[in-house]
Amino acid sequence: MSLIEFVIPTCFKQTTIVPVTKSLFSGCFTFTGGKDRRSGLILTIPLCTEQTSMEELSSTLDYLLGIPSDKCKARGFTVIVDGRKSQWNIVKTVVLMLQNVIPAEVSLVCVVKPDEFWDKKVTHFCFWKEKDRLGFEVILVSANKLTRYIEPCQLTDEFGGSLVYDHIDWVNKRLVFEKFTKESSSLLDELVVINDSEKSSQLDKERPPDCNFLPSLDPETVLQTGHELLSELQQRRFNGAEGGGVAWSPMDDELLAQPQVMKLLDSLREQYTKYQEVCRQRSKRSQLEDIQTKVMQVVNWLEGPGTEQLRTQWGIGDSIRASQALQQKHEEIESQHSEWFAVYVELNQQIAALLSAGDEEDLVELKGLQQQLSDVCYRQASQLESRQNVLQSAHEFHGTAQDLSQQLDGLLGMLCADVAPADGAAIQQTLKHLEEKLKSVEGALVGLREKGQVLMDQMSNQTSWSYGKDVPIDNKDNVDHIQGVMEDMQLRKQRCEDMVDVRRLKMLQMVQLFKCEEDASQAVEWLGELLDALLKTHIRLGDDSQETKVLLEKHKKFVDVAQSTYDYGRQLLQATVVLCQSLRCSTRSSGDTLPRLNRVWKQFTVTTEERVHRLEMACSFHTAAEKVLVQASPDQGDLPVEVEQETYEEVETVGKALLDRLTVPVIFPDGSEQYFGSPGDMASSAEHIRDKMKLVEDRKLTLHEEDEEDEDIETGKDTSDLRR
């Protein structure tokens, strides 16, 4: 009877624990792994004050003695009966039970006595009396003196030793071992039956294999449990005791369990490998039959309904809307084909997997199925792609034709509309926009030709698969339609080009017209600026006659510039008249530009005449004043020359006239008035003239006084002469 047969029911049914299970879990009997000096195993029996069933102890002892090997049993056992917590009569019963169960295997029984000794006479007398009948030696010893008979390293810590032992862990491992042994043995029997059945079916081809017979346990799970158990056993074998530094000697039951587990694992792996091969062969046969069925389904549909759908769809439409409808119809056809192509991809992968791991007898059939499926699918996919390319090119062609037609309509609308720009910049912008429109039309026409040629090339290479042969398709109507669209667009574009040339010439003339009007207005502005400069900045009359003459020369040049500006404006206005006649713009004229030009020129003429008159008067004034000041100056080397009275009068007359002139404004032909410079500027010029007139007057008075003195001196001389 195995340990698992006792434990499993208590775990799941929660029934009363059977005696051997209770004894094992409570630790009534334990193989700690320690050995005596004869290398025999040490069996520890810890007793307690509670009554222990002898039947339970006997069953547990039978179970434990079935674990070690015969070789281990031959070396004998040393039994440690821990009676420190029990009574003498129980100890005596256990010793007698050992004599009844394993008298030949027991070499020595060490009874650990409590601190309070039993009756020495009783104990000594009883063991001595039974010594020959028991067949083994019984020693009554204290726990601290147990090391006299057993090495400390072979004793657990409760007896003062250093041996590490976990009883619960040992019980758990034992349960796992027995569970694995039972499951693996059962699984091995099932796998052998399955593998033998499959082998028989292969020998007898007519008998179908039994594919419904499956193992009751998962082989992978059982193998994993065995590997984990073996790993745990090997780890316990090679690991040392923690902190003790003394190698831990494995228990003989574990040494015995390792080869059992390894043997079961090897057998299980062998049968499981065969079972996997059986499953693979079953799967391969099932896949092959399924593949054959699906391949024929795909081939029959593609060569039947699929080919018929494509055979009836070869038009390209006569507009972008018609081509879109054809594309939508083709997408529906592609959608139906896609479902079968998905099946093809899946079948091709399955065939490839079978080819990579298939038998020689299946290779020819698989390759034939694969080739047949690939030929049909690729041929159908090629026709779908060719049709899709034609429809895409047709859609692009019709789209480009529609865009080009709209561009030509827009360009024609611009050319037919009246041109009424506001200025030259607007004309330039309109002309630029017109050129861009024409360039865009030319580019669109080139693109239309390219797309049309691509479409015709694609249609010329288009073929249909019918009854196993490539049959050319008659696309004459489609080609005629494409060429007709391109020729119509070319004619419309040529008409627009001719109209653009005429419009370009007219708009260039209008640009010239606006330019002339703009330049004429600019000439008027320039004359106005010259007039303004003449009135505001040309106010100096010169400090002497030489400076005044220089100002007169500059003024003449200034007038020449104004005259050139006026003449340029007149020429521009004459050119606008000619351009208006050429453009037949009877309603358009020079406007108010010519009157403004003439008005500004008249104002400038009046102002420049006044400026010349003032400069001439200033020149006469300065000349007369300088004549007086120079001739009458005593700083000259010669004696002063007598100045005529007319010269003084001229200076005074001209000076007063010039002063009066400075206070008079310039009167334009329209009656408006304008002064030269600011009042301060005129006051400064008048002050300078007055100063010079005063200087002349002072010079005149000085000369007059000198003349009178000279006369007095002459008169005195004459009187003296008379007196003498």
Side-chain angles (χ1 to χ4, degrees):
M1 181 177 294
S2 64
L3 177 61
I4 195 169
E5 293 175 344
F6 293 96
V7 177
I8 295 301
T10 63
C11 295
F12 290 92
K13 299 180 181 179
Q14 297 182 357
T15 58
T16 305
I17 300 178
V18 297
V20 67
T21 306
K22 182 178 179 181
S23 299
L24 283 176
F25 277 102
S26 62
C28 289
F29 290 89
T30 57
F31 277 128
T32 62
K35 294 183 179 181
D36 58 21
R37 292 170 181 172
R38 296 185 303 274
S39 298
L41 289 178
I42 298 175
L43 175 62
T44 303
I45 305 177
L47 301 177
C48 58
T49 57
E50 297 179 358
Q51 291 293 334
T52 303
S53 172
M54 291 299 107
E55 182 181 357
E56 177 186 347
L57 294 177
S58 177
S59 299
T60 304
L61 186 59
D62 289 338
Y63 172 77
L64 288 177
L65 292 177
I67 295 176
S69 63
D70 294 336
K71 183 179 179 180
C72 182
K73 293 178 181 179
R75 290 195 295 266
F77 298 100
T78 294
V79 181
I80 300 177
V81 180
D82 188 0
R84 289 177 292 179
K85 296 181 181 180
S86 181
Q87 299 176 359
W88 166 247
N89 57 347
I90 297 177
V91 173
K92 180 180 178 180
T93 303
V94 171
V95 173
L96 293 175
M97 182 190 65
L98 291 175
Q99 189 272 335
N100 294 326
V101 177
I102 51 170
E105 287 83 358
V106 177
S107 301
L108 176 64
V109 176
C110 295
V111 178
V112 181
K113 63 183 180 178
D115 294 337
E116 296 179 358
F117 297 156
W118 294 309
D119 188 347
K120 291 185 179 181
K121 293 182 179 181
V122 175
T123 56
H124 183 269
F125 173 78
C126 291
F127 284 126
W128 183 261
K129 186 174 69 172
E130 300 292 336
K131 179 177 180 181
D132 295 334
R133 188 172 63 86
L134 289 174
F136 49 78
E137 183 180 2
V138 179
I139 300 174
L140 188 64
V141 64
S142 301
N144 57 358
K145 295 181 180 181
L146 192 59
T147 54
R148 295 179 181 179
Y149 307 96
I150 303 173
E151 296 296 332
C153 63
Q154 302 298 325
L155 294 173
T156 57
D157 57 351
E158 59 184 339
F159 299 116
S162 58
L163 180 64
V164 178
Y165 173 72
D166 187 346
H167 182 68
I168 299 301
D169 179 66
W170 179 87
V171 172
N172 292 333
K173 294 296 186 297
R174 190 65 190 179
L175 287 172
V176 173
F177 168 75
E178 293 190 0
K179 181 175 181 291
F180 168 73
T181 304
K182 181 179 179 180
E183 291 181 348
S184 59
S185 300
S186 175
L187 181 60
L188 276 173
D189 294 338
E190 294 177 356
L191 292 178
V192 168
V193 173
I194 295 173
N195 295 337
D196 291 343
S197 176
E198 182 67 21
K199 185 176 180 181
S200 300
S201 65
Q202 290 179 356
L203 294 176
D204 188 1
K205 299 292 185 179
E206 297 181 356
R207 189 181 71 176
D210 187 4
C211 299
N212 297 324
F213 188 21
L214 299 175
S216 59
L217 297 174
D218 181 19
E220 293 287 348
T221 303
V222 176
L223 284 171
Q224 182 179 0
T225 302
H227 285 298
E228 292 176 354
L229 176 60
L230 182 61
S231 175
E232 180 66 22
L233 294 176
Q234 291 173 344
Q235 182 179 4
R236 289 172 58 86
R237 177 180 180 182
F238 293 107
N239 286 349
E242 296 182 0
V246 180
W248 181 77
S249 178
M251 296 169 55
D252 283 73
D253 64 312
E254 293 178 347
L255 291 176
L256 185 60
Q258 288 187 38
Q260 293 178 1
V261 173
M262 294 174 64
K263 182 178 180 180
L264 285 172
L265 284 175
D266 292 340
S267 300
L268 190 58
R269 277 193 293 265
E270 179 183 359
Q271 292 300 324
Y272 182 51
T273 302
K274 293 180 180 180
Y275 173 72
Q276 287 178 319
E277 179 63 20
V278 168
C279 293
R280 192 185 68 82
Q281 292 295 334
R282 290 178 181 177
S283 176
K284 187 185 70 173
R285 285 195 300 269
S286 177
Q287 284 183 349
L288 186 58
E289 294 173 357
D290 185 56
I291 286 173
Q292 290 174 341
T293 302
K294 290 183 179 178
V295 166
M296 295 312 300
Q297 290 177 351
V298 174
V299 170
N300 292 335
W301 190 90
L302 292 179
E303 290 184 342
T307 302
E308 187 63 27
Q309 286 179 350
L310 286 176
R311 189 179 294 126
T312 58
Q313 297 290 325
W314 297 114
I316 62 171
D318 56 357
S319 64
I320 188 171
R321 181 175 297 177
S323 65
Q324 287 176 345
L326 290 173
Q327 278 186 321
Q328 184 176 0
K329 179 63 177 177
H330 184 73
E331 288 175 357
E332 295 175 358
I333 296 175
E334 280 187 335
S335 177
Q336 296 180 19
H337 280 75
S338 297
E339 297 177 0
W340 292 99
F341 287 154
V343 177
Y344 158 70
V345 172
E346 181 181 357
L347 289 175
N348 198 36
Q349 292 176 350
Q350 293 177 3
I351 293 174
L354 291 176
L355 285 174
S356 62
D359 298 332
E360 292 293 335
E361 58 183 11
D362 299 330
L363 292 180
V364 177
E365 183 179 0
L366 286 172
K367 287 183 178 179
L369 288 173
Q370 187 180 43
Q371 187 63 41
Q372 180 185 11
L373 185 62
S374 298
D375 291 343
V376 174
C377 289
Y378 278 116
R379 183 171 60 247
Q380 200 75 359
S382 177
Q383 292 189 12
L384 284 171
E385 183 180 6
S386 176
R387 175 62 178 165
Q388 176 62 30
N389 292 336
V390 169
L391 290 176
Q392 182 64 32
S393 298
H395 183 269
E396 293 177 358
F397 174 78
H398 291 308
T400 304
Q402 180 176 316
D403 293 341
L404 178 57
S405 178
Q406 293 175 354
Q407 292 184 30
L408 288 170
D409 292 341
L411 181 59
L412 185 62
M414 288 182 61
L415 294 172
C416 294
D418 293 335
V419 181
D423 51 25
I427 294 178
Q428 290 284 5
Q429 185 66 26
T430 304
L431 185 59
K432 181 180 178 182
H433 185 53
L434 195 63
E435 295 289 350
E436 291 176 351
K437 283 273 189 181
L438 184 59
K439 186 176 180 180
S440 177
V441 167
E442 292 175 351
L445 184 59
V446 172
L448 182 67
R449 292 196 190 101
E450 292 176 353
K451 288 180 171 58
Q453 187 61 46
V454 170
L455 180 56
M456 289 188 291
D457 292 342
Q458 289 178 345
M459 289 189 300
S460 64
N461 297 327
Q462 203 172 17
T463 58
S464 174
W465 181 262
S466 178
Y467 302 105
K469 296 181 180 179
D470 289 334
V471 180
I473 300 174
D474 186 9
N475 286 310
K476 184 177 182 303
D477 294 340
N478 294 333
V479 173
D480 292 343
H481 171 70
I482 295 170
Q483 292 177 345
V485 171
M486 292 191 295
E487 291 174 359
D488 179 62
M489 293 299 172
Q490 176 63 36
L491 291 175
R492 292 178 60 185
K493 183 251 184 184
Q494 186 63 46
R495 288 196 297 268
C496 287
E497 279 185 342
D498 297 339
M499 296 179 68
V500 167
D501 292 338
V502 176
R503 177 58 60 89
R504 184 187 296 111
L505 178 61
K506 183 177 180 180
M507 297 187 76
L508 289 176
Q509 289 180 342
M510 293 189 70
V511 170
Q512 292 180 352
L513 174 61
F514 279 112
K515 182 63 177 174
C516 290
E517 292 179 349
E518 182 181 351
D519 291 348
S521 298
Q522 185 65 47
V524 174
E525 292 180 5
W526 287 344
L527 276 178
E529 292 175 357
L530 292 174
L531 175 60
D532 189 61
L534 179 61
L535 289 170
K536 292 182 179 181
T537 61
H538 293 214
I539 56 178
R540 284 184 52 79
L541 299 177
D543 295 335
D544 51 33
S545 60
Q546 187 64 31
E547 184 179 359
T548 304
K549 291 177 181 179
V550 172
L551 291 175
L552 276 170
E553 291 297 326
K554 290 183 178 180
H555 181 71
K556 290 179 181 179
K557 294 179 181 180
F558 184 76
V559 173
D560 292 339
V561 172
Q563 183 67 48
S564 299
T565 303
Y566 173 71
D567 294 340
Y568 176 65
R570 292 280 300 184
Q571 293 173 2
L572 291 173
L573 292 175
Q574 291 175 0
T576 58
V577 174
V578 175
L579 289 172
C580 285
Q581 293 175 353
S582 176
L583 294 171
R584 297 179 183 179
C585 298
S586 58
T587 58
R588 188 177 185 86
S589 63
S590 59
D592 63 343
T593 306
L594 182 59
R596 287 193 303 114
L597 179 65
N598 292 330
R599 182 173 64 253
V600 174
W601 177 246
K602 289 179 181 179
Q603 292 176 351
F604 184 84
T605 302
V606 172
T607 305
T608 191
E609 289 176 355
E610 177 64 22
R611 173 66 175 167
V612 170
H613 188 63
R614 291 186 181 189
L615 286 174
E616 289 176 350
M617 290 180 66
C619 185
S620 299
F621 171 76
H622 287 305
T623 300
E626 289 171 358
K627 183 178 180 181
V628 172
L629 294 175
V630 172
Q631 291 180 355
S633 175
D635 297 332
Q636 302 294 329
D638 299 330
L639 293 175
V641 180
E642 186 177 356
V643 180
E644 297 180 358
Q645 183 63 29
E646 294 178 357
T647 303
Y648 290 112
E649 293 176 357
E650 181 181 0
V651 171
E652 185 177 0
T653 302
V654 174
K656 289 181 179 180
L658 183 57
L659 289 173
D660 293 338
R661 198 83 181 187
L662 291 177
T663 60
V664 177
V666 179
I667 301 175
F668 296 139
D670 59 357
S672 60
E673 298 178 352
Q674 185 70 42
Y675 287 93
F676 278 96
S678 62
D681 295 333
M682 292 296 100
S684 177
S685 298
E687 184 66 24
H688 179 70
I689 294 171
R690 290 190 186 95
D691 291 342
K692 204 159 191 178
M693 290 176 65
K694 184 178 180 181
L695 187 61
V696 171
E697 182 66 24
D698 292 341
R699 179 60 61 185
K700 178 181 178 183
L701 292 176
T702 302
L703 291 176
H704 181 67
E705 290 176 355
E706 290 178 352
D707 290 340
E708 288 181 353
E709 289 179 357
D710 291 340
E711 290 178 1
D712 291 340
I713 292 172
E714 290 295 333
T715 303
K717 288 181 179 180
D718 293 339
T719 303
S720 298
D721 291 339
L722 289 176
R723 287 177 181 177
R724 288 177 184 173

